[in-house]
Amino acid sequence: MITETSTRLAPGQVLDGARRFFTSEDSVYAATVVDESDRHVTVATFRSRLAISAWEDESLGETRVRVSTLRRQDAVGRFLAWLETASPGE
């Protein structure tokens, strides 16, 4: 499944947020980072892997975010909800 959205956050903020969202000690999603670059982070959960990529879309003046999984994950919707409420100053 592929889900795309846009945000006011910078690409680096999106990826740092994804790392914290999925791997912090108080996260409800036990995940580990298995691959990353300056444009993406891939985390492994109990059931699957999630690849999160972020890049600047100059035509929109925003950051595009794509989350890819092999199967439906409730975590994706919750991560996207976090993106909607996160502010660039955080």
Side-chain angles (χ1 to χ4, degrees):
M1 297 183 68
I2 297 174
T3 306
E4 288 192 23
T5 190
S6 61
T7 181
R8 296 176 294 134
L9 298 176
Q13 289 176 304
V14 171
L15 299 177
D16 288 343
R19 283 184 204 92
R20 284 191 312 274
F21 186 88
F22 289 104
T23 66
S24 69
E25 288 182 16
D26 59 345
S27 176
V28 292
Y29 307 105
T32 55
V33 174
V34 293
D35 190 31
E36 60 186 326
S37 73
D38 60 341
R39 287 189 54 158
H40 88 285
V41 62
T42 301
V43 297
T45 66
F46 174 71
R47 298 188 69 208
S48 186
R49 288 184 182 214
L50 291 90
I52 301 151
S53 56
W55 67 96
E56 285 187 53
D57 186 336
E58 293 179 10
S59 66
L60 293 176
E62 295 181 324
T63 297
R64 298 290 301 159
V65 179
R66 178 180 296 151
V67 182
S68 303
T69 65
L70 291 175
R71 57 183 77 146
R72 185 182 177 322
Q73 293 273 334
D74 291 337
V76 172
R78 292 188 178 145
F79 175 69
L80 296 177
W82 172 82
L83 277 179
E84 288 180 13
T85 60
S87 88
E90 293 181 346

